[in-house]
Amino acid sequence: MLRKEQNEYVTRTGAGTPMGKLFRRYWLPAIMAEELPENDCPPVRVKLLGEPLLAFRDSKGNYGLVDEFCPHRRVSLWFGRNEECGIRCAYHGWKFDVTGKVMEIPSEPDDSPFYKRVKLKAYPLIKVGRVLWTYMGPPEHQPGPPEFEFATVPDNQSFVSKRWQDSNYLQAMEGGIDSSHVGWLHKATIESDPLFTKTKGNDYTVADPKPVFEVVEQPSGLYIAARRNAEGGKYYWRITTWIMPYYTQIPPRGGHPVHGHFWVPIDDENCWTWSYDYHPTRPLSENEVAAMDNGEGIHCKVDNTFHSYANKDNDYLMDRGSQKSGKTYSGVEGFAMQDASLQESMGKIVDRSLENLVPTDMGVVMARRQLMAAAKALTEEGKEPPGVQPHTHRVRSASVVLAPDQAFKEAAKDVLVVRPGLAHASV
Ligand code: FES
Ligand SMILES: [Fe+2]
């Protein structure tokens, strides 16, 4: 559990809060590259860490992420005209470039002091893989671009989707590092979903509902390992990677693509759940991409505002018959909404002072501790947080079977880092 003040500390990411300062030291996924498909295309509203912003792509292909609101009289620049290398406000025609510099104030003479005095807030926006990333922190601390493996493989080896989640980022992320729920909530779906089915790892997951957790620090966050019984006295290990402050890699299953999430605060009560799949050594097959497009695996069918069709207003299309028959464990279809239905049911920001944590929650406990410790060290001592440096992103999740006397951290150490040209270790 967390005391109420600790819960406040770790869940609030607005400007000026300790956790907000921490998040602002990392590149954050802002929007999918496909949302700005061509030069001078319509701009896209996006709220991140409580800040309303507008992404646009200018006539030369430069990306910009600026304050959504015009510094003249604060109307939304979303209504503006994206033309001739800038976004022009629809109200009185003020125009800004991707860096937020004022290009034109039509009512003013060319030498008006307002050209120097006024600036539109702007953050860098860069394309790495299929995602446009932004950095909202102090410019002098801006790190090199992200090096997560899913974003550095060729585009035909990866797939990315996102959905709006009606909860604080932390309870969503805690679901991603809690692999003890998989053998319960997802137990039927791991067998029926085309992107998970028919692996030995599934058999181990379902057969042993009492995983033993070992959590080990790594330079950018944690390795969170769940140990289950395999045959012959051996152990099946599922090792999840958590990279601070928001990124997780799920341990792979058989020859399926590897997947994971990042959870990015929209504001304190909502977050973007990003989901990615990739294969380190081969293009995704047509069938795999079709399944992902269809909302299978960890993805989900969404409308054009990225809200899921199954949502709390329709009880996530709960099917009690399917719950009773065991076709799904909870009655909700699909990994994404199975997770989101329960995480959103906790309320916007769950009251962690009411929890009763057990040993299988060790990964959750350690991730909270690391987040709070990093925010404290940053804000009180100016210490750079773990996971900021891009080379520390080059770690992998893994699933392996090991002899009972082998420590996972030692025995699996070679497969827990990115090995170019070699596939993930997967069972
Ligand atoms: S409010 Fe934007 S130009 Fe006047
Ligand atoms: Fe889940």
Side-chain angles (χ1 to χ4, degrees):
M1 57 93 91
L2 292 180
R3 295 192 307 276
K4 283 192 188 288
E5 62 274 19
Q6 291 174 311
N7 204 32
E8 283 287 298
Y9 188 94
V10 74
T11 54
R12 305 280 175 187
T13 59
T17 63
M19 206 53 62
K21 287 183 181 158
L22 181 74
F23 269 76
R24 283 168 176 77
R25 294 297 286 267
Y26 298 85
W27 284 98
L28 305 173
I31 59 170
M32 296 193 289
E34 67 192 47
E35 293 179 70
L36 292 178
E38 57 191 24
N39 298 352
D40 289 335
C41 61
V44 174
R45 290 188 193 98
V46 58
K47 194 176 187 191
L48 292 171
L49 308 181
E51 297 186 34
L53 302 167
L54 189 78
F56 72 104
R57 178 169 166 178
D58 76 11
S59 316
K60 291 189 175 151
N62 301 309
Y63 294 109
L65 186 66
V66 296
D67 189 344
E68 183 190 337
F69 299 102
C70 178
H72 177 213
R73 298 226 326 260
R74 305 293 294 160
V75 308
S76 172
L77 290 168
W78 182 80
F79 293 93
R81 302 171 61 92
N82 185 12
E83 58 190 15
E84 293 164 355
C85 279
I87 186 95
R88 188 187 290 280
C89 180
Y91 214 7
H92 314 95
W94 291 28
K95 187 176 175 188
F96 310 90
D97 71 11
V98 290
T99 68
K101 187 166 160 277
V102 181
M103 298 170 76
E104 275 180 54
I105 304 179
S107 60
E108 287 291 301
D110 288 351
D111 60 352
S112 162
F114 285 108
Y115 281 96
K116 285 210 180 107
R117 199 178 300 159
V118 179
K119 189 167 185 328
L120 182 66
K121 179 171 74 179
Y123 299 120
L125 189 66
I126 60 168
K127 181 176 182 299
V128 181
R130 294 172 167 274
V131 176
L132 299 182
W133 307 76
T134 189
Y135 172 79
M136 297 166 66
E140 66 276 20
H141 294 299
Q142 182 180 315
E147 292 186 15
F148 302 111
E149 191 178 24
F150 90 91
T152 58
V153 296
D155 274 2
N156 65 357
Q157 292 177 212
S158 74
F159 183 95
V160 177
S161 71
K162 70 173 188 181
R163 64 176 168 80
W164 183 289
Q165 178 151 340
D166 281 305
S167 80
N168 182 259
Y169 83 96
L170 186 60
Q171 65 211 54
M173 191 177 78
E174 287 173 353
I177 53 178
D178 156 31
S179 70
S180 72
H181 78 276
V182 177
W184 295 98
L185 176 61
H186 306 311
K187 73 160 57 158
T189 311
I190 54 176
E191 269 316 319
S192 61
D193 188 283
L195 296 162
F196 280 69
T197 191
K198 295 194 176 68
T199 73
K200 194 73 192 149
N202 292 356
D203 300 342
Y204 297 137
T205 303
V206 174
D208 184 352
K210 294 187 194 295
V212 175
F213 273 69
E214 277 185 31
V215 185
V216 171
E217 290 191 14
Q218 51 93 1
S220 56
L222 298 171
Y223 288 128
I224 300 164
R227 192 192 80 196
R228 291 179 171 85
N229 294 321
E231 57 277 282
K234 293 185 172 167
Y235 289 132
Y236 168 62
W237 290 89
R238 294 184 57 72
I239 307 160
T240 301
T241 327
W242 175 62
I243 300 179
M244 283 191 56
Y246 58 72
Y247 181 87
T248 60
Q249 283 179 306
I250 299 169
R253 291 181 185 272
H256 293 300
V258 193
H259 39 242
H261 299 284
F262 18 107
W263 283 278
V264 182
I266 294 171
D267 51 31
D268 292 341
E269 299 197 333
N270 301 279
C271 67
W272 289 117
T273 296
W274 288 79
S275 304
Y276 63 86
D277 257 277
Y278 77 105
H279 199 288
T281 57
R282 66 162 172 85
L284 302 183
S285 72
E286 268 180 40
N287 285 346
E288 286 166 347
V289 173
M292 293 166 198
D293 264 331
N294 196 35
E296 292 178 282
I298 61 170
H299 306 279
C300 147
K301 284 290 229 189
V302 292
D303 64 19
N304 58 8
T305 61
F306 299 99
H307 286 78
S308 167
Y309 290 111
N311 55 57
K312 66 180 175 192
D313 292 334
N314 55 27
D315 283 332
Y316 308 90
L317 306 176
M318 162 65 82
D319 179 347
R320 294 286 176 191
S322 148
Q323 186 187 61
K324 198 157 227 157
S325 72
K327 179 171 171 279
T328 59
Y329 188 70
S330 76
V332 173
E333 276 289 340
F335 294 101
M337 283 300 116
Q338 286 164 3
D339 285 326
S341 57
L342 301 188
Q343 292 157 7
E344 292 178 359
S345 79
M346 299 161 144
K348 289 283 198 178
I349 304 180
V350 65
D351 182 351
R352 292 178 174 79
S353 70
L354 302 176
E355 295 171 332
N356 291 282
L357 299 181
V358 292
T360 53
D361 298 310
M362 193 194 296
V364 168
V365 170
M366 287 190 58
R368 291 175 189 174
R369 267 191 213 147
Q370 281 214 346
L371 283 169
M372 289 191 282
K376 189 166 187 295
L378 171 68
T379 52
E380 293 180 11
E381 299 157 38
K383 198 166 161 215
E384 180 177 88
V388 162
Q389 290 302 325
H391 69 273
T392 66
H393 303 162
R394 302 187 67 75
V395 291
R396 281 182 174 174
S397 59
S399 57
V400 290
V401 172
L402 298 175
D405 57 345
Q406 287 181 297
F408 89 83
K409 199 194 168 193
E410 267 314 302
K413 83 169 179 284
D414 291 345
V415 299
L416 290 172
V417 292
V418 170
R419 300 179 301 164
L422 293 174
H424 270 67
S426 184
V427 176

